Structure formats: structure tokens, C-alpha cells
Amino acid sequence: MKQKKPLYEGKAKVIFDGPEAGTLIQYFKDEATAFNAQKKDVINGKGVMNNYISEHIMLAVGERGIPNHFISRMNDREQLIRALEIIPVEVVVRNVAAGSICPRLGLEEGSVLNNTLIEFCLKNDKLGDPIIAPEHIFTFGWATPSELEIIIEDTLRINDFLTGLFLGIGIRLIDFKLEFGRYEKDGLIEIMLADEISPDNCRLWDAETNEKLDKDRFRRDLGGLLEAYQEIARRLGIKIPQNN
Ligand code: TMP
Ligand code: ASP
């Protein structure tokens, strides 16, 4: 069998060549990192959970007409995805103050924002993903104004949809991070959602108790990360095979 060739290794995923032109394979690892990988560990089974949870959410987002890179789940750890040219901008959506915005702006964790806030960070680990303004995105050519308009529109629709989806299972969507890319087909370029949507890149709090059911369990040494991800999957109605 032909050995798959890794094209890119990130902190939580590996990207391989896909079986056909225009496709890639996204492999979910068990590594958990935080604070730009200053803190790391391996949490057995995390990759499998994120693969299934992200599949579920990407399919649902796609059904709402928001284009994304997901094609199919191949097995417990791999997804077939469309090959995109990734836009090096992380789109952070905040409904409630938590995480880095609290010390940065002197906010109390848990305070509800007056409106949904979108922040942009440059996707560059060496620089620690610095926060940037739209003007930086245009000046340095990371995306055009019309591309950013589509990204913002898709992001707000995803936030509305996910907020409702999670509230329906007793979870508050506090914040999350998205990535987008360009997909070229027949000479046309379409902006698509990329990466993953999972408890690794969302803050999810139980609606009754405000218990954290996301990667903050690892970031803050709260323990029980896998159990929290299993609880998210269970409430979403996702069946995940055991022994991974
Ligand atoms: P922050 O509060 O640390 O800026 O994170 C905001 C949201 O973005 C949170 O849901 C976690 C997610 N996130 C990532 O997915 N990747 C990252 O590298 C960072 C810094 C945050
Ligand atoms: N994923 C990032 C890291 O490894 C940050 C985070 O999610 O907190 O450092």
C-alpha cells in the first residue's frame, strides 16, 4: 500500500495528500496543547472525539448552506476534505467574555457581551497569533475586503446556528475560533470554512451549572477533558465507538 505523505503537521492534526486531486486527508491526533504549545499532553481518545464531533457540526453547517471543506469521515481519526488555500487569519467569535479577552480588556469572565464580537488573529505560531485589525488583513493581502465580507457573513450565520444547536442540548456557546480558505473549482474561487469545530476550539459551558465542557479543562488543569468531550458528543446524539 502506498504510504501517505504528510503535507503539514499542526498541533492537533496532520494533513496528508488525498486520494484525488483537490482532496486532502485530515488526521486528528490526541495531542492537547495550550498557550501556543507551552503546555502539552496526550489525551488518549481526544482525536477520535473531535473527528466525530467536527463531522457532525460540519455536516449540519453544510446543510444550512454554509460551504465548508468537509467531504466525508473515512475512519475514527481521518476525514476526507477539500484542499483549500488557507487564509492565515483566525476568526474568533465571542458571545460571553472568557479567556484572553478578560485580562486584555479587564473584563470579568462570564459577562455577557452587548453583541457578538468578532476578533481576528494572524495564524502564526512564531508570533503567538497576534490580534490584528481588518486593515492589517487588507494591507498585507491576507484576504480582500470582499473575501472578508463573506467570512464575516458566514461566521455570524455559524454563530447563530451553533448557539441554537448547543442551547437545544443545554449548552452555552461562549466563544469559538474558525478558519477559512479558498477553494478553486473550474477557475472559480469560493470561500469555505476549514479546520474543525470541536470542544478544542469552542468554549462550551453547561447552561445550568456553567461547568466547562471544552479544552479549558486542559488549559486550566481541571481534569476530565475526555469525559467533557464525551458529554458533548452524547448530548449531540453522536455514537462513538469505544476502545480508541
Ligand atoms: P482565547 O480566549 O484564548 O483568545 O480563545 C478564544 C477562542 O478561540 C476559544 O474558544 C479557544 C479558541 N482558540 C483556538 O481554537 N485556537 C487558538 O490558538 C486560540 C488562542 C484560541
Ligand atoms: N491551540 C493553541 C495552542 O496550542 C492555543 C489554545 O487553544 O489555547 O497553544
Side-chain angles (χ1 to χ4, degrees), residues 97 100-109 111:
S100 68
I101 197 172
C102 293
R104 176 158 34 95
L105 299 182
L107 304 176
E108 195 176 325
E109 180 162 275
S111 50

Side-chain angles (χ1 to χ4, degrees), residues 22 82-85 181-185 188-192:
R82 294 181 185 85
L84 309 188
E85 180 195 357
R182 302 180 186 92
Y183 181 63
E184 193 188 332
K185 201 176 173 208
L188 290 177
I189 290 178
E190 188 178 11
I191 296 291
M192 284 191 186

Side-chain angles (χ1 to χ4, degrees), residues 11 32-39 129 200 203 215 219:
K11 291 187 287 263
T33 67
F35 314 115
N36 207 10
Q38 290 174 61
K39 179 177 168 70
D129 295 347
D200 262 18
R203 283 197 173 89
K215 204 170 85 173
R219 294 188 190 96

Side-chain angles (χ1 to χ4, degrees), residues 3-233:
Q3 190 65 31
K4 281 182 288 184
K5 181 176 150 221
L7 293 177
Y8 169 82
E9 177 146 12
K11 291 187 287 263
K13 296 187 289 299
V14 190
I15 302 292
F16 296 94
D17 264 332
E20 288 162 37
T23 67
L24 297 171
I25 293 168
Q26 173 165 259
Y27 175 96
F28 288 75
K29 301 193 282 186
D30 282 341
E31 271 81 357
T33 67
F35 314 115
N36 207 10
Q38 290 174 61
K39 179 177 168 70
K40 39 183 158 179
D41 204 350
V42 172
I43 296 174
N44 290 329
K46 178 178 81 82
V48 174
M49 301 298 303
N50 283 349
N51 185 16
Y52 279 83
I53 293 171
S54 194
E55 171 196 20
H56 183 91
I57 295 178
M58 286 291 186
L59 284 174
V61 162
E63 279 166 18
R64 266 91 200 150
I66 299 161
N68 68 74
H69 73 165
F70 182 85
I71 300 173
S72 61
R73 186 174 52 73
M74 302 169 72
N75 53 50
D76 283 349
R77 288 197 181 261
E78 292 176 309
Q79 301 183 346
L80 185 66
I81 57 170
R82 294 181 185 85
L84 309 188
E85 180 195 357
I86 295 294
I87 293 172
V89 173
E90 300 195 339
V91 181
V92 174
V93 184
R94 299 185 190 273
N95 297 308
V96 174
S100 68
I101 197 172
C102 293
R104 176 158 34 95
L105 299 182
L107 304 176
E108 195 176 325
E109 180 162 275
S111 50
V112 177
L113 302 177
N114 287 335
N115 51 261
T116 297
L117 175 67
I118 299 184
E119 296 178 326
F120 303 102
C121 298
L122 179 62
K123 190 174 158 61
N124 184 322
D125 285 341
K126 275 195 205 139
L127 300 178
D129 295 347
I131 191 161
I132 51 174
E135 285 74 11
H136 295 93
I137 297 176
F138 309 144
T139 297
F140 297 102
W142 296 315
T144 65
S146 56
E147 287 176 332
L148 195 65
E149 214 173 284
I150 296 170
I151 288 171
I152 291 172
E153 195 182 308
D154 284 358
T155 296
L156 290 173
R157 288 181 61 205
I158 292 166
N159 184 49
D160 281 350
F161 168 62
L162 289 185
T163 297
L165 177 83
F166 282 117
L167 258 191
I169 55 168
I171 287 170
R172 299 172 71 200
L173 177 62
I174 303 301
D175 60 27
F176 58 102
K177 187 262 299 184
L178 300 176
E179 294 182 24
F180 290 85
R182 302 180 186 92
Y183 181 63
E184 193 188 332
K185 201 176 173 208
D186 304 327
L188 290 177
I189 290 178
E190 188 178 11
I191 296 291
M192 284 191 186
L193 174 65
D195 195 47
E196 67 179 285
I197 301 182
S198 73
D200 262 18
N201 53 15
C202 300
R203 283 197 173 89
L204 303 167
W205 295 359
D206 182 272
E208 276 183 18
T209 64
N210 279 334
E211 185 189 2
K212 296 179 199 305
L213 298 171
D214 57 61
K215 204 170 85 173
D216 270 351
R217 301 210 69 86
F218 168 74
R219 294 188 190 96
R220 302 183 187 193
D221 293 320
L222 300 172
L225 179 130
L226 201 66
E227 292 74 9
Y229 287 30
Q230 280 164 345
E231 178 62 12
I232 298 289

